[in-house]
Amino acid sequence: MAICFTQLLLLVCFRYRIGFDYDMYAQGFVLMDMEGFSSLSYLDWEIGFIVLTKLIGLFTNNIQVYIGLIAVFCLFSWAFFIYRYSPNVWLSTFLFVNMYLLYLNMNFLRQAVAIAITLFAWPFIKNRKFWPFLGIVVLAALFHTTALILIPVYAVLRIRPGSGLWLLYAYGLLFFYISSEGIINLLTLVFHQEYANSVFLEGMSSLYALIPLLLLVLVYLFRKPMQEANEYNRYLIGFLFFAAFCMMMMTRHAILERISYYAYAYFVLALPELTSALRTAFPQGKKAALPAGGMLKRGRRYGNYTQSAGPGYRYWVVMGIIIVLTSGYHIIGLLENVHGVVPYASLFGTVF
């Protein structure tokens, strides 16, 4: 894992003008470095990110160092999150790349920092400690206000995954599709007027919603063994519900991608938790009697025992589905140049 994340960090740190927002952040850093602390406002940037940018500017005026320091924090947070909480580190890392979360860190820098901060809220979510959770979310909102979406999501996570949750989101989606034009137009009159009548208010390809929805259905079908393995897995399933809901809304207005990532991030835990639960709940093997003499080979239990040759077929089928779907998702994203990361160009002039 350390080798993999080091490679990913090098890709992020040494990119040159990669990511749709790269030039915006590079220009902002230069202008705020020249300005110093005489002003704590810049465009619509949040105060936390402005202060961070100006603090880095005290030590360097090098744009690449600025980009690199932000990347170090964001990818360290992701690496810690995966190492500490994932039951399958390689699969989580695979999903981190395939589901565009790496590319997010090359584009939405303010939001990348906010998401990286919210990852530290997971232990408080699963242990139902609201006030520490709220403190982390408020801190993240100082870097991107969309982090506040986690507050209502925290309440919805208390609903156990079932038919009621499907109905809640189905009703929400129906209401959104009926009234979204009016709501979005009203919001852009007050906030982010630059988005009015822009491409950000147009819909994205339905493929961006279809694959997360299929993965949600896959997890939902095996929710029982997941919840038996770990009670807090129901919160992960709840995150996937909200993420799929947001991705469905994106097919109408692309700007809503911004609020999806806070829940979408938990795919990197939920899918490994699914495979881990299946490996335990449905092992390959059969019951057998205690061998003569009562002596057991290593790994066998006294009495009736399960002589397991490894995970059962459900594990391999689900693992195959996850790998195929997310790899296809990755290819679709690269073909459509998600987050503006292809063709990749490094600081050293290499392009691929």
Side-chain angles (χ1 to χ4, degrees):
M1 178 184 175
I3 294 173
C4 182
F5 265 90
T6 299
Q7 292 173 327
L8 298 179
L9 181 62
L10 293 175
L11 280 174
V12 177
C13 287
F14 292 106
R15 73 190 190 278
Y16 179 68
R17 303 190 74 178
I18 295 299
F20 292 128
D21 291 348
Y22 180 97
D23 289 342
M24 179 188 73
Y25 284 109
Q27 181 182 21
F29 173 66
V30 171
L31 292 176
M32 283 192 282
D33 178 50
M34 294 170 58
E35 183 181 58
F37 282 87
S38 61
S39 173
L40 290 178
S41 64
Y42 182 78
L43 300 178
D44 61 344
W45 292 14
E46 290 78 4
I47 184 65
F49 195 82
I50 291 173
V51 171
L52 174 64
T53 298
K54 289 178 179 287
L55 285 174
I56 294 174
L58 290 177
F59 301 97
T60 181
N61 60 3
N62 188 296
I63 293 171
Q64 216 62 38
V65 173
Y66 169 64
I67 294 291
L69 289 174
I70 292 174
V72 167
F73 171 73
C74 292
L75 267 68
F76 171 81
S77 297
W78 275 105
F80 176 81
F81 179 67
I82 290 172
Y83 178 78
R84 179 69 178 83
Y85 301 113
S86 174
N88 190 330
V89 170
W90 80 261
L91 180 57
S92 290
T93 305
F94 180 81
L95 295 170
F96 174 70
V97 175
N98 272 3
M99 301 193 77
Y100 315 148
L101 293 165
L102 171 66
Y103 306 141
L104 165 74
N105 290 276
M106 298 186 187
N107 188 21
F108 298 158
L109 295 194
R110 284 157 40 231
Q111 192 166 18
V113 174
I115 293 170
I117 293 171
T118 65
L119 297 178
F120 292 99
W122 171 234
F124 303 119
I125 293 171
K126 68 179 185 178
N127 293 316
R128 304 180 185 181
K129 295 183 178 181
F130 177 73
W131 294 111
F133 156 80
L134 181 63
I136 290 176
V137 170
V138 170
L139 175 63
L142 296 177
F143 292 84
H144 206 279
T145 53
T146 53
L148 295 174
I149 193 64
L150 282 175
I151 297 175
V153 171
Y154 182 89
V156 177
L157 291 179
R158 295 295 175 264
I159 303 174
R160 286 191 174 274
S163 57
L165 200 55
W166 282 107
L167 289 172
L168 174 66
Y169 280 113
Y171 175 78
L173 199 60
L174 177 63
F175 175 80
F176 172 79
Y177 265 81
I178 292 173
S179 58
S180 67
E181 289 289 345
I183 294 172
I184 293 293
N185 289 337
L186 180 62
L187 288 175
T188 53
L189 286 175
V190 181
F191 307 103
H192 295 289
Q193 292 88 346
E194 69 274 16
Y195 289 141
N197 301 315
S198 71
V199 67
F200 295 104
L201 300 188
E202 297 176 3
M204 297 179 67
S205 168
S206 59
L207 288 172
Y208 289 110
L210 177 62
I211 293 179
L213 183 60
L214 290 175
L215 291 170
L216 166 62
V217 171
L218 183 66
V219 168
Y220 183 79
L221 290 175
F222 294 100
R223 67 192 183 281
K224 185 176 180 180
M226 280 187 69
Q227 292 180 87
E228 288 175 350
N230 287 303
E231 172 61 22
Y232 59 75
N233 278 342
R234 69 187 181 96
Y235 302 138
L236 292 177
I237 299 171
F239 271 125
L240 265 57
F241 264 95
F242 185 76
F245 173 70
C246 290
M247 304 300 270
M248 292 291 289
M249 293 195 298
M250 281 166 47
T251 63
R252 191 157 178 85
H253 299 292
I255 188 64
L256 295 171
E257 178 186 16
R258 300 279 180 159
I259 67 172
S260 69
Y261 278 111
Y262 298 98
Y264 184 79
Y266 287 88
F267 270 104
V268 304
L269 290 190
L271 297 180
E273 285 285 358
L274 168 61
T275 59
S276 177
L278 292 178
R279 188 184 188 105
T280 303
F282 304 106
Q284 180 180 333
K286 61 180 181 179
K287 294 288 184 179
L290 184 69
M295 299 300 293
L296 300 177
K297 293 181 179 180
R298 185 178 181 182
R300 296 177 177 177
R301 298 193 302 271
Y302 287 97
N304 287 341
Y305 66 91
T306 299
Q307 186 176 12
S308 177
Y313 75 91
R314 293 177 182 85
Y315 170 87
W316 294 112
V317 170
V318 169
M319 182 67 81
I321 291 172
I322 290 171
I323 290 173
V324 169
L325 284 180
T326 57
S327 296
Y329 200 51
H330 189 218
I331 292 170
I332 291 168
L334 291 181
L335 290 175
E336 297 199 2
N337 196 16
V338 64
H339 289 297
V341 298
V342 291
Y344 178 87
S346 77
L347 187 65
F348 308 107
T350 54
V351 177
F352 55 89

